[in-house]
Amino acid sequence: MKSARSCARSVIRCILSHVPRQEFDVVVVGAGSAGCALAARLADDPARRVLLLEAGPGGPAPDLLDVGSLAATRPGHPSNWAYPAQLRPGCVTTVPRGRGLGGSSAINGANWVRATPADADGWGVPGWTWADLLPHYVRSEHDLDHPGAPWHGDRGPVSVRRPSGDLLHPATPRFLDAARRLGFPAEPDKNAGGAPGAGLVPSNGIDGVRVSTAQAYLHPPRAGLVVRPDAAVARVLFDGDRARGVELLDGTVVEAGEVVLAAGAIATPHLLLLSGIGPPDDLRTAGVPVARELPGVGRDWSDHPVVYLPFATADPPAHPHASCVQAALDLDAGADPAGDVEVMLFVRPFDGGTDLHLMCALQHPDSRGTITLTSTDPRVRPRISYAYLRTEHDRRRLRHAIRVGADLLRAGLGVRAAPAGDVLGSDHALDGWIAAHLDTAQHLSGSAAMGPVVDAQLRVHGVPGLRVADTSVLPVVPRRGTAATAVAVGEKAATLLCA
Ligand SMILES: Cc1cc2nc3c(=O)[nH]c(=O)nc-3n(C[C@H](O)[C@H](O)[C@H](O)COP(=O)(O)OP(=O)(O)OC[C@H]3O[C@@H](n4cnc5c(N)ncnc54)[C@H](O)[C@@H]3O)c2cc1C
């Protein structure tokens, strides 16, 4: 570790020489959910010089602050990368990812739900069990509903609250009541690590404001932390085998003692591939010199396939400060006591419509996706293939989630608008309907996973000075949303770098 004085000398040298080179102890690439937490925690030590590089813009657009708005998830919004992707053969879509300070936490649904104990324990990585992760979840949050509970934080940067009072949409108690009448257990605190069931969804939307990790972790500014928005990284630079820094798209070279990629589960493997780290045949085909053979980069990742079940109610519109999602039922589709499917209640209509929606999701899929390079130009998007629903096991469980959603509607939640009864009753017809309405929950995980790509300290195998810290490292997508876990990864990465 360099001393503060030697780092300061380096920076002054750069300014005086007008050469676009800088020197830092750590450069974090990507100011998203994990990156903001990591950079801020590293900079708690004022002697450490940390640079946080973000490809997207600085200040949040006003529509990002409104937790009731999902406007930035539409293609064309400046805070959305909008990646073209194939969900399955013949099913092409555009996948949103946050672009700008806060990353995906600045545009997401603000559902703040931890992985289940079965997820972390199932990864089988030393130091990453549920018990190991819990302190990092706790450190990140300030749970306003559970002050003093030992499994919750009461002073972390991210405030968390469940819907109540005026902010509770009338459909939410009906959803919970319908689940109870159908015999599903209650899950009163979805972050307690208990058995799956029906419960309110905790949110980091507070008083109508989506609190991104940029707002939570980067204020007030820390002395040792330099944050540079509009600074897209093009590749990692090496000194022999060792990572020595990064090159920006504009040609600027940044030198650092340690490089941490936190660019998210699409851009991180993309940057590794652009830097020559990945499956050797794919790299050669794309014309990238091989720096380090790592066949796992961009391979065998997972995400949750979803379909939305539209339904009508006579309810008044949601309170302006209410978050879009209010409750979820997690359940076992037959052989997974930790809950491999989920039905989630969205209480705001999409795109000016009037219907509300149940998001029916497969939370522990068999199917695995690939991200591959199509060009050596960092501006050209990689090819993203989700390969969803490849197994009958996956298809059966997603059908089950939809039928449970329909049961909840029949049990008093609302009037199903689609699919029709004859479609719902036929596996073959329902598979066709799913194929026509398939979507993704945007929880991509495992594209630079612990095991094949990084070790338990998040170090890229065979590349000293280079680590990964975002949802790319999770061996399998958790059975719940990934936002809180991404922040916990950032928190844990900070302790690993400081060790
Ligand atoms: C629309 C949407 C809704 C979601 N809703 C929820 C939800 O409600 N609850 C939940 O649990 N999960 C949700 N998720 C998932 C969750 O938000 C993400 O899994 C999580 O935020 C990912 O964190 P990350 O740190 O891995 O990546 P990100 O937060 O995506 O951060 C990556 C950052 O790196 C930057 N970057 C990329 N490339 C470069 C480069 N070349 N140079 C410099 N910077 C770069 C990006 O601009 C971005 O700021 C949602 C995701 C999306 C996209």
Side-chain angles (χ1 to χ4, degrees):
M1 187 66 58
K2 292 180 193 323
S3 71
R5 189 172 297 168
S6 107
C7 286
R9 270 202 303 272
S10 315
V11 173
I12 291 166
R13 207 166 49 232
C14 291
I15 293 166
L16 291 180
S17 63
H18 298 283
V19 176
R21 289 169 73 94
Q22 294 173 322
E23 210 165 286
F24 291 86
D25 295 314
V26 183
V27 58
V28 178
V29 178
S33 304
C36 286
L38 167 61
R41 293 300 188 194
L42 288 176
D44 280 343
D45 177 354
R48 189 180 284 115
R49 290 275 307 165
V50 181
L51 176 64
L52 178 58
L53 295 173
E54 168 54 45
D63 57 349
L64 300 192
L65 295 177
D66 177 3
V67 74
S69 167
L70 295 177
T73 61
R74 287 186 208 111
H77 193 286
S79 299
N80 180 358
W81 286 95
Y83 287 98
Q86 187 191 68
L87 297 181
R88 54 186 306 196
C91 179
V92 174
T93 190
T94 306
V95 179
R97 296 286 307 190
R99 182 179 171 277
L101 296 185
S104 295
S105 77
I107 72 165
N108 71 11
N111 308 332
W112 186 262
V113 187
R114 300 170 180 173
T116 70
D119 291 312
D121 295 348
W123 296 333
V125 181
W128 288 83
T129 64
W130 166 258
D132 295 319
L133 261 187
L134 187 57
H136 303 288
Y137 283 125
V138 167
R139 193 162 142 82
S140 69
E141 72 173 16
H142 180 182
D143 193 308
L144 299 164
D145 298 322
H146 293 278
W151 60 92
H152 279 299
D154 60 3
R155 68 199 66 175
V158 181
S159 295
V160 178
R161 183 180 273 159
R162 290 144 194 84
S164 65
D166 289 350
L167 270 54
L168 197 67
H169 188 276
T172 303
R174 284 207 310 277
F175 177 96
L176 298 176
D177 196 45
R180 186 186 52 76
R181 278 193 279 126
L182 292 173
F184 294 105
E187 190 185 4
D189 178 2
K190 287 206 167 272
N191 285 335
L200 296 175
V201 171
S203 172
N204 55 298
I206 303 294
D207 299 330
V209 176
R210 175 186 287 108
V211 182
S212 75
T213 51
Q215 291 148 269
Y217 278 93
L218 302 185
H219 299 286
R222 285 162 169 82
L225 176 59
V226 177
V227 182
R228 277 190 57 192
D230 301 310
V233 168
R235 58 182 58 82
V236 178
L237 299 172
F238 302 97
D239 188 358
D241 284 347
R242 185 180 183 83
R244 68 173 170 94
V246 293
E247 181 184 352
L248 272 56
L249 264 187
D250 66 7
T252 305
V253 169
V254 176
E255 306 269 356
E258 179 123 33
V259 176
V260 187
L261 299 181
I266 295 176
T268 284
H270 190 206
L271 281 170
L272 288 169
L273 296 169
L274 288 165
S275 310
I277 301 169
D281 291 346
D282 291 1
L283 293 174
R284 287 189 196 102
T285 305
V288 178
V290 178
R292 174 76 198 178
E293 294 189 9
L294 276 181
V297 175
R299 301 259 180 94
D300 290 327
W301 48 264
S302 44
D303 197 344
H304 303 144
V306 305
V307 282
Y308 291 93
L309 212 55
F311 66 98
T313 74
D315 297 325
H319 187 282
H321 288 176
S323 50
C324 297
V325 169
Q326 298 219 325
L329 168 63
D330 290 274
L331 67 141
D332 176 1
D336 185 351
D340 51 353
V341 303
E342 183 174 76
V343 181
M344 191 172 249
L345 173 65
F346 279 64
V347 299
R348 290 181 184 278
F350 298 156
D351 295 330
T354 54
D355 286 339
L356 306 186
H357 291 85
L358 292 177
M359 186 175 87
C360 305
L362 174 56
Q363 300 294 91
H364 198 53
D366 302 330
S367 303
R368 296 290 182 265
T370 54
I371 293 172
T372 42
L373 214 50
T374 56
S375 165
T376 56
D377 182 345
R379 283 164 289 233
V380 177
R381 305 299 173 90
R383 184 180 303 113
I384 304 169
S385 172
Y386 282 75
Y388 271 159
L389 303 178
R390 289 179 70 176
T391 66
E392 173 55 18
H393 185 224
D394 279 0
R395 293 190 291 275
R396 182 182 64 70
R397 291 181 294 162
L398 188 54
R399 290 194 297 265
H400 183 71
I402 293 168
R403 287 172 176 147
V404 170
D407 288 345
L408 290 168
L409 292 171
R410 267 194 298 272
L413 175 56
V415 179
R416 193 177 76 243
D422 55 338
V423 173
L424 195 63
S426 148
D427 285 357
H428 179 71
L430 190 53
D431 282 348
W433 189 81
I434 290 170
H437 296 85
L438 189 62
D439 209 331
T440 171
Q442 299 126 24
H443 297 154
L444 210 157
S445 300
S447 48
M450 286 187 281
V453 179
V454 300
D455 66 14
Q457 275 67 46
L458 307 181
R459 298 175 294 213
V460 176
H461 296 306
V463 188
L466 182 62
R467 301 200 204 208
V468 174
D470 55 32
T471 66
S472 310
V473 303
L474 307 177
V476 179
V477 65
R479 289 171 178 79
R480 307 284 170 98
T482 38
T485 302
V487 177
V489 168
E491 290 271 4
K492 185 166 170 69
T495 63
L496 295 173
L497 266 92
C498 294

